Amino acid sequence: MKVYIEKTGKTANAKAPSVAALLKKLNINPVTVLVVKNGALVTEDAKLAENDTVKILSVVSGG
Amino acid sequence: MPCKKCLKEPVFALISGEKLCRKCFNSYFERKIRKCIRQYGLIEKGDRIAVAISGGKDSSVLLSLLSGITRQMKNIEIFAILIDEGIRGYRPFTKKDAVNLCKKLGIKLYVYSFKKEFGMDLDRMVKKLKKGPCTICGIFRRYLLNKAARELRANKMAFGHNADDEAQSVVMNLFRSNNDAAARLGVVNGIKKDARFIPRIKPMYFMLEKEITAYAFINGISGKFVECPYAGSAYRGEIRNMLNDFELRHPGTKAGILSSFLETLPLLKENFMKEGGIGFCRKCGEPTSGEECMACRLLKELHS
């Protein structure tokens, strides 16, 4: 699936069964991000499929 | 697992593990902020509140919420102040978001700039002074915000500071043994009875930045994420990463820091707030703990 990481502005290809597994794979601390699946905010236990579009939003203030 | 309250799809998991749908999350968030306002008496009849905004998610959420809350109250006025430090590649974007938000909410926005007030923008100051950019920015921002709020006849200033900001400040002051600075933290600070010093209120004191970002996303409040080019250089960043690692392993760490800090704050105030209240700069008349304020000292260095 395509994963867009807001903080770096980069898109990566990744495969993971759930949001928690995806963040672990990308070495991202879940405390610091929100995950949007196909346009909707989801929790860490949300399941992911190959054709999902995922956005990882940074919760850390920019200033 | 669905939302515990209404069995809909969850959008957010609280520290307790409880999962909430969009509607229940909004209700949890707004209720917690109203409770903070009520518990600490942050907003009272007759208040004229200056909301310090940057265009970022924290202050945008704060302004949106206060706009709704104060509309339901009698005799409360709010307006927004934005400080344009002059940071290329950052401030112009967030300023645009702030202007759009104020227009949408029908709130008057006043913009004050470093360039106009101090004759130089932050990007130039950073090149001239041998101090960290966040230190320089902090000193001039505090100075200008207080001055602007006073000129605009506000009796309080509201900030979008959140639980993460405050937990970081508490730990930073602890690590640096800076008890004077710690004594000035809290939900309401600077509550000295002097017309020249505008008290600061923090209605989002107990909200985590993750909760604020979720609220902003769900309600379409903030714009695109833009990072300040100077953000990475701050000592605060190291503390932030450390606390986030701790929060992951031990959920509730940040709330624990705040709860313990608030219990000791009265003692800190008693022992470390200067006797006889705040002093005022002999040069510009702004509040300071010394004879001359930091802003005047830095300005002397800048123009020497």
Side-chain angles (χ1 to χ4, degrees):
Chain A
M1 86 197 87
K2 281 219 174 340
V3 182
Y4 173 74
I5 304 168
E6 184 194 44
K7 196 168 184 196
T8 57
K10 287 180 181 159
T11 304
N13 271 312
K15 204 175 170 184
S18 69
V19 168
L22 175 69
L23 295 179
K24 199 167 181 188
K25 201 171 207 175
L26 297 171
N27 202 20
I28 294 174
N29 180 346
V31 171
T32 65
V33 293
L34 287 173
V35 176
V36 177
K37 182 180 109 175
N38 304 327
L41 201 58
V42 290
T43 52
E44 274 179 66
D45 58 358
K47 300 269 177 284
L48 295 175
E50 185 55 44
N51 54 352
D52 283 335
T53 307
V54 175
K55 265 188 190 176
I56 299 178
L57 309 179
S58 174
V59 307
V60 172
S61 304
Chain B
M1 197 189 286
C3 173
K4 201 177 161 188
K5 292 187 173 127
C6 60
L7 305 178
K8 284 186 184 153
E9 200 60 35
V11 297
F12 198 87
L14 303 179
I15 292 174
S16 60
E18 188 182 344
K19 295 189 177 72
L20 300 174
C21 70
R22 181 192 164 109
K23 196 177 161 200
C24 292
F25 175 75
N26 270 348
S27 150
Y28 151 83
F29 190 92
E30 290 164 15
R31 202 172 49 240
K32 204 166 163 184
I33 288 183
R34 282 176 192 271
K35 187 184 168 195
C36 177
I37 291 174
R38 211 171 41 242
Q39 192 176 344
Y40 289 88
L42 301 186
I43 301 177
E44 296 154 307
K45 213 171 165 184
D47 276 347
R48 181 169 155 81
I49 303 171
V51 184
I53 65 161
S54 64
K57 64 179 166 49
D58 298 321
S59 57
S60 299
V61 166
L62 176 69
L63 188 68
S64 303
L65 282 170
L66 288 186
S67 161
I69 290 169
T70 56
R71 212 168 284 153
Q72 296 161 2
M73 298 167 86
K74 278 183 186 166
N75 294 324
I76 311 276
E77 275 181 83
I78 66 166
F79 61 89
I81 300 177
L82 181 138
I83 304 293
D84 184 351
E85 312 88 348
I87 304 174
R88 271 184 72 185
Y90 173 64
R91 187 51 75 208
F93 297 106
T94 54
K95 187 174 160 185
K96 198 174 155 198
D97 287 338
V99 170
N100 289 339
L101 180 68
C102 288
K103 207 178 278 176
K104 188 176 143 197
L105 296 172
I107 287 175
K108 176 94 182 147
L109 170 69
Y110 297 89
V111 179
Y112 283 69
S113 77
F114 277 18
K115 180 117 193 217
K116 193 172 173 204
E117 195 69 25
F118 309 118
M120 203 180 286
D121 58 31
L122 185 69
D123 287 340
R124 272 190 68 200
M125 288 178 180
V126 169
K127 285 178 191 147
K128 282 200 87 175
L129 293 169
K130 288 187 187 102
K131 275 193 172 14
C134 300
T135 306
I136 303 169
C137 185
I139 290 167
F140 285 124
R141 275 178 69 83
R142 272 193 297 276
Y143 170 96
L144 197 47
L145 275 169
N146 191 64
K147 188 174 176 230
R150 203 182 55 238
E151 278 177 6
L152 297 164
R153 293 174 294 102
N155 69 324
K156 281 174 189 165
M157 244 190 296
F159 286 82
H161 287 170
N162 58 47
D164 288 71
D165 298 328
E166 189 79 352
Q168 289 154 20
S169 299
V170 169
V171 174
M172 280 165 74
N173 290 328
L174 186 71
F175 282 10
R176 290 169 157 171
S177 188
N178 197 347
N179 291 319
D180 291 348
R184 291 195 292 270
L185 296 174
V187 187
V188 182
N189 60 7
I191 196 83
K192 295 283 181 194
K193 296 286 176 206
D194 190 293
R196 284 170 289 184
F197 195 85
I198 312 300
R200 295 157 183 217
I201 58 171
K202 303 172 190 169
M204 301 207 297
Y205 191 90
F206 297 103
M207 310 312 296
L208 292 166
E209 57 187 3
K210 184 162 176 163
E211 294 173 326
I212 297 170
T213 314
Y215 187 86
F217 179 83
I218 290 169
N219 297 287
I221 292 174
S222 65
K224 199 176 171 288
F225 175 83
V226 195
E227 191 168 36
C228 173
Y230 300 120
S233 66
Y235 174 64
R236 180 176 287 274
E238 289 181 47
I239 302 287
R240 180 172 65 197
N241 292 341
M242 182 190 76
L243 289 181
N244 284 337
D245 287 345
F246 257 81
E247 187 71 37
L248 176 64
R249 290 196 297 269
H250 312 285
T253 292
K254 293 169 193 170
I257 291 171
L258 293 191
S259 160
S260 142
F261 174 72
L262 286 175
E263 281 183 24
T264 54
L265 187 58
L267 287 172
L268 280 169
K269 283 193 187 294
E270 204 179 307
N271 288 296
F272 296 98
M273 285 290 244
K274 292 218 164 63
E275 277 289 316
I278 200 146
F280 293 91
C281 176
R282 62 179 174 193
K283 215 166 169 190
C284 68
E286 283 296 310
T288 176
S289 52
E291 283 194 3
E292 200 173 286
C293 73
M294 281 301 289
C296 281
R297 276 190 262 169
L298 280 187
L299 276 175
K300 213 187 291 172
E301 267 185 64
L302 275 175
H303 297 293
S304 62

